[in-house]
Amino acid sequence: MFARVLGHERQKNLLQRAVASSRLPHAYLFEGPEGIGKRLIALALTKMLFCANGNSCSECPACRKIDHHNHPDLHQINADGSSIKIEQIRALQKELSYRPLEAPYKVCLIDGAEKMNLAAANALLKTLEEPRAQTLLILLTPTPDAVLPTIRSRCQRLPFSRIPKEKLQEVLVEQLKIDDTQSHVLATLSEGSFKKALGKDRELYLQRRRDLLKNLAALSPGSVIPLLDLAQKLAEEKDLLFEILEIIQAFYRDLLLLKHGSPLEELVNVDMLETLEHVSRKEDVSSLLGKLSALMTSRRHLERNVNRQLAMEVLLMRLVA
Ligand SMILES: [Zn+2]
């Protein structure tokens, strides 16, 4: 029934057993990294409950409505901007006060549950404290620690872990028709996230990664103009900046591994050995550690919304020093 969702066998079995024995809790908290399939599993679970043929057929009207996000008994809440607001929870509570229209249950997905602001979380707490029959709440979060403890304790927690790299690599080779080197890079950088490996980050992780790292490796302490140019280009990548920092971080980590004589398959950038070896000759372990720490510092600064251009200039100066 979960055939179309890869991995997570233990979690799928557990949910299947809960449905089969009619022992669903009133609320689940699905926790685990972004993009590994939590939401897909929540939707598959909804199909199990709603399907007219009892087998998540994907063809009956109920299954099709779920696929098209227009089933009247499936409600989904996402962050409105950076937070989930109390109005959204109130609207949900109103919905939940009616009986299901077509399905045996009302299901509500709250995606990014850590984004509920305090007022919203306290409002939801009421719903969790007085659960209604025929209602299932599924909260999804990558950071359970950021969810109110009182909410966490009223949900059945179901942790999900990253897809193992080898498994992800297998799927990538099959689905994308790419070679082993590319699938290695993609599987490693996406850290077990299908969403990352198959989504908008793919091109970033393959070709643009190479261009970026070559530009970076070509910088020298004296090359001020190219450094400022690169800083500006990076600063313009508002939406991808954290992914870009991860790419640069993986590059310096590779250099460190090279210094330690680690086996090549532990590296991320296996397709750039020449560049890695070239840069590695100019670096020692302590300067590499310093650069990795500079990367972490700039990430923290960016999380606090500092001036991106300035943050990138400071970072690059540290990296070429
Ligand atoms: Zn169906």
Side-chain angles (χ1 to χ4, degrees), residues 47 51-60 62-63:
K47 273 193 192 172
C51 176
N53 296 317
N55 60 357
S56 311
C57 66
S58 288
E59 280 157 18
C60 70
C63 285

